[in-house]
Amino acid sequence: MRKKYFDTIKSSVLLCGLCYSGIATAQINLNNLPNMGDVHGNFQATAQYYVPDTTIGAPNVPEKMLMNGFANIIYTKGKFTAGIRYESYLGALQGFDPRYQGNGIQYRFASYKSDALEVTVGNFYQQFGNGLVLRSYEERGLGFDNALDGVRLKYEVIKGIYLTGLVGKQRSFMTQGPGLVRGFDGELNINEVFTKLAEKKLRVTLGGSFVSRYQKDEDPALVLPENVGASAGRLELNYEDFRLNAEYAYKINDPNSANLVGKIYKPGDAQIIMASYAKKGIAISASASRADNMNFRSDREASVNNLLLNYTPALNKNHTYNLLTFYPYASQPNGEFQYSGEVSAKLIKKPKWKMDILINYSGSNDLDTTLLNPATDSTLQGYTVNSYGPGKQVYFRDFYVELNQKFGKKIKTSLIYSHQIYNKSVIQKAGFPTIHSDIIVADISYRLKKEGTIRLEAQVLSTNDDHQDWGMLLLEYTINSHWFIAALDQYNFGNDHVNERYHYPNATVGYNKNSNRITLSYGKQRAGIFCVGGICRLVPASNGVTLTVTSSF
């Protein structure tokens, strides 16, 4: 036991040494060179030393220490911009896809903008509309990066008419996918084109997109379309405090491994509509979306989050408090009907006693469909849709109320209640019951007289399903603008199996100075899933020391 903790201390010292050298590199001021343009960028490294823990299922990691790191270096001079991102996975942290392995420049580009034309060669990210037919982006916390590598042109025909065209291949971890992606998007801003409408309160924007994927057909049994196209049209209206955004997308038949019932030739479609109204003291929003067989990738054999071309957003509220994120929703592009509504209002406007409330309700169901008999389904459609609306199977529900109150200049409080229904069999893995849970969160912060803030978080999750009841307590002390310390414990106090009522303690110390931030933590992590915007990854149980360093220049 003593040897294990001695190893842990040694690993902390090693991690600090590695990251100190990283910061020193990041702080080099390259902008002192005269008339040579500007150089800026950022750096991040997260390293973890793993300690096996059989009680919570934390595995033995042969390398003991793993690390994810990257550095962006961007050069700009006038209308010219170029940059690289060096990435290092030695090896990838637990929970990230093991195909992230090794070092390399995984992102490099050069861009030049002249008058109305902008040309980019190399890597780039691009989204058309709401992303229903194309969304190329990066989310490091998920280990998600589907950057395109090729050529992109943007052209402003006249003020108010904007065109984008691109050709490229998608990133697949440290390599590229086999599919060739071609895309075009046009946007028309009515008020900018017609000068007589420039001052009108009603603002209208129209847009349209087309994306196609080429992939050679090598299937020994089926005749697959080598070119698969998807198109979308969108509308945005703004009138004073009101905003409406709507988009419709259609994809031709695209037999692929991510189809709901084997490779089927059924076309796909998706729709989304979002409306909001905001005025001083109150904001109201509502949204709905529907997706049917809209899993669109640049490789028909890809799975999970690899080589996704489009994005069907999750409309539920994004949570940050720990127990509220135990059961996050992952969007289901093969078939879902989502809706969400939210109201927020200021109840007391006096600055010292300000009180506001937020109420959100969101849900997701399957589609109303009937599976076809494979023996009679001669055209391999897979299923039929009986009606446009939602089916009977509940995927997710979240009723959420948040009340924020200030008590003078020193005390701020937040009180939250959420009732969630989570279909674990659909969202994670078949064979689990649907989970009904109630979560309460209390967050109190107190500003000290001279300097510093103390914050206390208490959370309870109550459920008769899964691992039953959980509690969490966090105490955070922000000493000054540079230092903070925090300690928390998750406790599965209601587990029916008394010998599995585990604690998950964690302690963190952090230091901020200018654009540098260092955090060092030691503790346990429960197994679960982590989601951002409906895209998720599995997080395995772990125990150990984690050091994260971020810096920008």
Side-chain angles (χ1 to χ4, degrees), residues 335-383:
E336 68 179 356
F337 191 103
Q338 296 187 85
Y339 50 89
S340 175
E342 183 171 294
V343 178
S344 62
K346 294 187 183 302
L347 302 181
I348 299 177
K349 298 180 181 178
K350 293 181 179 178
K352 287 186 179 180
W353 306 96
K354 188 167 64 175
M355 176 189 285
D356 56 69
I357 189 171
L358 185 150
I359 302 173
N360 179 282
Y361 184 74
S362 60
S364 177
N365 278 44
D366 66 343
L367 298 181
D368 180 14
T369 61
T370 300
L371 290 177
L372 298 176
N373 185 343
T376 58
D377 183 14
S378 58
T379 58
L380 292 181
Q381 295 297 298
Y383 61 92

Side-chain angles (χ1 to χ4, degrees), residues 32 60 142 144 150 177 196 207-208 406 452 459 462 547:
N32 290 334
N60 178 41
L142 295 173
F144 182 92
K196 289 184 178 179
K406 286 181 70 175
Q459 305 179 30
S462 176
L547 180 67

Side-chain angles (χ1 to χ4, degrees), residues 133-208:
V133 295
L134 179 68
R135 188 189 187 197
S136 172
Y137 71 109
E138 173 199 26
E139 179 53 60
R140 292 218 150 257
L142 295 173
F144 182 92
D145 189 341
N146 63 348
L148 287 160
D149 186 6
V151 176
R152 179 183 63 189
L153 302 178
K154 291 186 175 183
Y155 189 66
E156 181 181 334
V157 180
I158 58 172
K159 187 173 177 57
I161 300 179
Y162 309 97
L163 307 177
T164 301
L166 58 88
V167 179
K169 287 197 165 190
Q170 272 191 306
R171 176 178 179 177
S172 176
F173 307 103
M174 305 301 277
T175 61
Q176 289 185 341
L180 180 62
V181 180
R182 292 73 55 94
F184 174 80
D185 183 82
E187 187 166 285
L188 170 64
N189 186 311
I190 300 291
N191 301 80
E192 291 182 358
V193 173
F194 301 99
T195 53
K196 289 184 178 179
L197 302 177
E199 302 302 323
K200 296 291 183 183
K201 293 181 179 179
L202 177 64
R203 316 285 301 181
V204 181
T205 303
L206 302 170

Side-chain angles (χ1 to χ4, degrees), residues 51 79 103 118 215 258 343 409 464 507:
V51 178
K79 298 177 180 179
N103 301 311
E118 179 182 338
Q215 185 179 10
V343 178
K409 293 182 178 179
N464 294 321

Side-chain angles (χ1 to χ4, degrees), residues 53-251:
D53 188 332
T54 55
T55 57
I56 63 170
N60 178 41
V61 176
E63 301 94 331
K64 301 298 183 186
M65 190 188 84
L66 303 174
M67 188 276 295
N68 291 359
F70 72 91
N72 285 302
I73 300 173
I74 310 295
Y75 172 76
T76 58
K77 182 173 174 56
K79 298 177 180 179
F80 178 78
T81 304
I84 61 168
R85 181 171 64 234
Y86 183 85
E87 299 182 12
S88 180
Y89 305 93
L90 296 173
L93 295 170
Q94 291 277 289
F96 287 80
D97 196 297
R99 284 173 284 186
Y100 283 115
Q101 187 64 243
N103 301 311
I105 296 175
Q106 295 299 319
Y107 192 93
R108 73 280 183 273
F109 75 98
S111 179
Y112 183 77
K113 186 172 183 180
S114 176
D115 299 326
L117 179 66
E118 179 182 338
V119 179
T120 302
V121 296
N123 297 109
F124 54 86
Y125 298 108
Q126 183 67 52
Q127 176 171 327
F128 291 163
N130 293 294
L132 296 182
V133 295
L134 179 68
R135 188 189 187 197
S136 172
Y137 71 109
E138 173 199 26
E139 179 53 60
R140 292 218 150 257
L142 295 173
F144 182 92
D145 189 341
N146 63 348
L148 287 160
D149 186 6
V151 176
R152 179 183 63 189
L153 302 178
K154 291 186 175 183
Y155 189 66
E156 181 181 334
V157 180
I158 58 172
K159 187 173 177 57
I161 300 179
Y162 309 97
L163 307 177
T164 301
L166 58 88
V167 179
K169 287 197 165 190
Q170 272 191 306
R171 176 178 179 177
S172 176
F173 307 103
M174 305 301 277
T175 61
Q176 289 185 341
L180 180 62
V181 180
R182 292 73 55 94
F184 174 80
D185 183 82
E187 187 166 285
L188 170 64
N189 186 311
I190 300 291
N191 301 80
E192 291 182 358
V193 173
F194 301 99
T195 53
K196 289 184 178 179
L197 302 177
E199 302 302 323
K200 296 291 183 183
K201 293 181 179 179
L202 177 64
R203 316 285 301 181
V204 181
T205 303
L206 302 170
S209 311
F210 179 76
V211 176
S212 80
R213 176 206 73 212
Y214 171 78
Q215 185 179 10
K216 192 175 180 180
D217 176 16
E218 296 178 330
D219 193 293
L222 300 172
V223 178
L224 304 177
E226 295 187 329
N227 288 285
V228 174
S231 56
R234 62 184 184 271
L235 165 69
E236 178 162 327
L237 302 176
N238 288 277
Y239 184 80
E240 295 188 334
D241 303 317
F242 177 78
R243 175 178 178 266
L244 176 72
N245 181 291
E247 184 167 4
Y248 172 84
Y250 177 84
K251 177 171 68 84

Side-chain angles (χ1 to χ4, degrees), residues 12 20 24 35 104 115 198 209 250 259 276 286 302 338 355 363 392 402 418 437 456 458 477 511 521 536:
S12 303
Y20 175 79
N35 303 319
D115 299 326
S209 311
Y250 177 84
N259 288 149
S276 63
Q338 296 187 85
M355 176 189 285
K392 294 181 180 178
E402 177 181 333
S418 174
S437 61
L456 174 68
Y477 177 33
Y511 177 74
S521 63
C536 306

Side-chain angles (χ1 to χ4, degrees), residues 322-323 326-327 438 459-463 465-472 490-495 500 502-504 526-527:
N322 199 286
L323 297 190
F326 261 32
Y327 302 113
D438 295 281
Q459 305 179 30
V460 175
L461 183 152
S462 176
T463 177
D465 308 307
D466 207 26
H467 299 288
Q468 290 83 43
D469 302 334
W470 288 79
M472 198 213 79
Q490 290 178 15
Y491 180 35
N492 188 194
F493 67 90
N495 198 316
E500 295 180 5
Y502 301 130
H503 284 271
Y504 293 83
R526 61 176 281 276

